[in-house]
Amino acid sequence: MTIRQLFLPVLIVLLSMFFSSCEPDRPVYNSLDEYPVYGYNDLGVTYSPEKTIFKLWSPAAQKARVKLYSTDNPSASPDETLDMEEIDGAWTIVQSGDLDGTYYTYQIRVNGNWKAEATDPYARAVGRNGLRGQVVDLKATNPTGWENDKAPDFADKSEAILYELHVRDLSIDPSSGIEHKGKFLGLTERGTKTKAGVATGLDHLIEMGVTHVHLLPSYDYFTVDESRLNEAQYNWGYDPQNYNVPEGSYSTNPSDGKVRIREFKQMVMALHEAGIRIVMDVVYNHTGKSEDSHFQELIPDYFYRFREDGTMSNASACGNEIASERPMVRKYIRESVAYWMKEYHVDGFRFDLMGIHDIATMNEISKQLHEADPSVLLYGEGWKAGDSPLPDSLLALKANTPRLDRVAAFSDDIRDGIKGSVFIHEEKGFATGARNVDQSVRFGVVGSTQHPQITYDSVNYSNAPWAPEPTQSIGYVSCHDNHTLWDRIAISNKSNGPGTREKMHRLALGIVLTSQSIPFLHAGTEMCRSKGGEENSYKSPDSVNAIKWKTKAQHPQTLAYVKDLIALRKSHPAFRLGSTAAIQEHLAFVDTEDDQLVAYTIKDAPEEDWSEIMVVYNGAPESKRLPLPAGSWKVICKDGKVNSDGIGRDLSRRTNVSGSSMLILARS
């Protein structure tokens, strides 16, 4: 060994010690909990034509700098590197001149070493693939008429009818007749049709009568390479990269940050003008990357939860979980959703794996957003995908919904009660012929609330009511996860033909649309959407995920059934009583002595034209007979057809309910 080889390691250690001693004096924190809270709302970039202010919160940093670029080309070198100074708790630099359009990254020095460059977690515009933030004049992104954009009237949460949709799925099918396929702009086009003349896209949503479109993740996610958009790529988007920026692959130019912002706003305007509100699916429970995420490069460890052994905890089953209980994380999430509401006029949020978030954070979010807009709709998945270091008692789980302020949770009780467990594919549910699941259906009918006629120890997943009010329960039978309803019924009921399975399909949707919880529909279910049996299509090709518009003409009865039930629900308040007290007073179950026959009446509902309504679900394949109270009844729904003016009259003392169907009777 040479003298150089012997002393080189020692020299490196000595130099490291020397340069570390030259770092400016910094506070020493013994834990992440000691990090100071930044009390202002100006982190990220504040732009004006005269100057741009860059601010980064990173207590762990010994030094910080911003690098400016004239291009979003990842191989380009910075045009300028500016050292930042810590002022009032934030690393800050004020750069004179008009930086509109300039790209930038941050970089921090920790333990004497510069970490990798990273995108500003507070960036409001980014270039291609979200690898660099971009300074933009947000006012220049507003489409014509934006200042007059107004959400449609929405008096009460019970009026919501949700329609879950992936931006690309709506328009990418060749038969859609939509010009901007797979883009935000695809949701702005009117008059689009198939070659057979069937309405598609936005016109279809208007035709159905839904009140809210729930968009799968539309913030910037990282799994689609925006430099290769000429190639077929697909992802649901549950891999967040930049929370405050629209997804670039849905824009016509991912490199120009203004384009995706403007086109997202155009989409919102078009939906609002069509009488439809917009809900964003947000994924603050984890980030798409872990050790090399923007948060970890710029604010090491603070945004994540860890196990006792120092590894990242993983309640999301995606490699990490966000520590929402930490003050600056809570502040980040709260400011992020408020930004989407204010800047983009978003009307509601669906929280992915909400059960990972702490209750206090969800309640702070709700308080702030309801103060800004009392009609905002907030709901989420009241579960997690793995163990979390935070105790269940502190988490926004379904069972803890009574402790949530005006936040709803999805009801897996009614979902699996109707069709069978999502984890046991061959299992049947009420609508597909199962026995002894009637109490789960009843529980769904009353919106997961307290009702004296529910036997709670017979409900599939809940032995007690968990929704204080029915508007805190989201009733559904299918969504983007797991099989589509049509595919699931084909698996669990292989011996039944397509005609019988479609009757079951209609019954399942009928239960959802006549229950007291907020109804939620998976896009395309009204036309018996199939993904070819694919259970988890999160990265499957368009051939699997696209809404195939030709199927709309192939299932006219089911399409009309769903459309007419939506109209019935909107015009008759009895199907959306809105409170637990009202349900207990006006809704009563009929003792059918048959676990495959669920029946109930709604009497003297407030503001309802009909004095009494009877709803009957027959989950058996054969017809059933049910006694009727004396008098004349108008038949509203029978054998897969719906007409609020009446299909006919039933004067008998016993009525016939066809197999796998819903019957609705009413009288004034």
Side-chain angles (χ1 to χ4, degrees), residues 121-152:
Y122 291 82
R124 296 181 173 184
V126 296
R128 184 176 44 191
N129 284 325
L131 299 177
R132 290 177 186 159
Q134 189 177 28
V135 180
V136 298
D137 178 2
L138 282 171
K139 292 180 181 178
T141 67
N142 294 340
T144 302
W146 183 246
E147 67 279 5
N148 298 318
D149 177 64
K150 184 178 180 294

Side-chain angles (χ1 to χ4, degrees), residues 68 79 224 327 459:
L68 304 181
D79 298 304
V224 171
V459 174

Side-chain angles (χ1 to χ4, degrees), residues 428-436 489 492-493 495-497 499-505 507 594-597 617-625 639 656-662:
K428 295 180 181 181
F430 180 88
T432 49
R435 305 298 302 262
N436 301 315
I489 294 175
S492 63
N493 293 72
S495 62
N496 297 115
T500 299
R501 295 203 300 265
E502 191 160 355
K503 288 174 61 180
M504 296 172 174
H505 190 99
L507 173 58
D594 186 336
D595 63 276
Q596 288 188 297
L597 199 64
Y617 311 133
N618 182 7
E622 69 277 3
S623 296
K624 302 270 187 177
R625 290 187 65 76
D639 296 335
N656 188 68
V657 188
S658 300
S660 306
S661 78
M662 177 174 69

Side-chain angles (χ1 to χ4, degrees), residues 176-198:
S176 71
I178 296 172
E179 178 185 355
H180 295 95
K181 289 181 170 59
K183 305 298 182 184
F184 292 130
L185 292 181
L187 263 163
T188 69
E189 297 180 34
R190 299 293 299 270
T192 61
K193 299 179 184 296
T194 65
K195 289 183 179 178
V198 174

Side-chain angles (χ1 to χ4, degrees), residues 317-610:
C318 296
N320 62 76
E321 62 179 291
I322 291 294
S324 61
E325 70 279 7
R326 291 206 176 105
M328 283 297 289
V329 181
R330 180 178 293 165
K331 184 173 184 286
Y332 180 91
I333 299 172
R334 195 180 70 240
E335 289 177 357
S336 179
V337 289
Y339 172 71
W340 280 103
M341 179 183 281
K342 181 178 179 181
E343 183 65 31
Y344 289 95
H345 301 180
V346 169
D347 307 299
F349 299 92
R350 176 267 194 191
F351 292 85
D352 182 67
L353 291 180
M354 182 176 70
I356 294 176
H357 296 316
D358 66 291
I359 293 169
T361 293
M362 290 306 304
N363 285 341
E364 283 195 19
I365 289 169
S366 179
K367 182 177 185 294
Q368 179 171 342
L369 297 188
H370 277 95
E371 286 175 354
D373 178 6
S375 68
V376 66
L377 202 57
L378 305 176
Y379 55 96
E381 294 179 302
W383 47 77
K384 47 193 170 75
D387 293 333
S388 173
L390 212 62
D392 284 358
S393 61
L394 300 180
L395 297 174
L397 296 166
K398 183 183 74 173
N400 293 334
T401 302
R403 295 164 59 196
L404 293 174
D405 176 23
R406 292 166 290 180
V407 179
F410 282 94
S411 174
D412 52 349
D413 305 280
I414 187 64
R415 179 195 70 195
D416 291 3
I418 292 173
K419 70 176 181 182
S421 170
V422 295
F423 303 110
I424 307 172
H425 301 164
E426 292 78 20
E427 182 177 282
K428 295 180 181 181
F430 180 88
T432 49
R435 305 298 302 262
N436 301 315
V437 291
D438 53 312
Q439 292 300 320
S440 296
V441 173
R442 284 190 175 202
F443 186 50
V445 167
V446 300
S448 314
T449 62
Q450 174 67 50
H451 193 280
Q453 292 178 284
I454 306 293
T455 306
Y456 286 96
D457 59 8
S458 297
V459 174
N460 47 7
Y461 303 139
S462 302
N463 57 12
W466 51 262
E469 301 293 346
T471 51
Q472 284 187 267
S473 174
I474 304 295
Y476 73 123
V477 68
S478 63
C479 66
H480 68 279
D481 276 325
N482 310 113
H483 295 102
T484 68
L485 178 59
W486 181 251
D487 288 343
R488 171 53 188 264
I489 294 175
I491 293 169
S492 63
N493 293 72
K494 292 184 178 70
S495 62
N496 297 115
T500 299
R501 295 203 300 265
E502 191 160 355
K503 288 174 61 180
M504 296 172 174
H505 190 99
R506 285 194 292 269
L507 173 58
L509 296 176
I511 295 171
V512 169
L513 286 167
T514 52
S515 294
Q516 294 293 324
S517 53
I518 294 175
F520 173 105
L521 301 173
H522 180 217
T525 193
E526 69 278 10
M527 55 186 93
C528 301
R529 181 181 182 180
S530 172
K531 293 184 181 180
E534 182 75 42
E535 181 193 11
N536 186 13
S537 67
Y538 76 100
K539 62 176 182 179
S540 300
D542 293 325
S543 58
V544 172
N545 282 298
I547 293 177
K548 298 164 184 67
W549 290 102
K550 66 180 182 181
T551 61
K552 183 176 177 179
Q554 294 170 355
H555 299 279
Q557 185 176 356
T558 299
L559 182 83
Y561 180 78
V562 175
K563 174 184 170 183
D564 292 341
L565 280 177
I566 289 172
L568 181 72
R569 183 181 182 92
K570 291 170 78 173
S571 60
H572 288 277
F575 295 107
R576 41 183 175 83
L577 292 168
S579 74
T580 299
I583 294 171
Q584 292 173 348
E585 180 180 354
H586 300 286
L587 189 152
F589 289 97
V590 176
D591 185 5
T592 64
E593 298 183 352
D594 186 336
D595 63 276
Q596 288 188 297
L597 199 64
V598 171
Y600 60 93
T601 60
I602 306 173
K603 294 182 180 179
D604 302 321
E607 301 180 22
E608 174 59 62
D609 293 336
W610 294 329

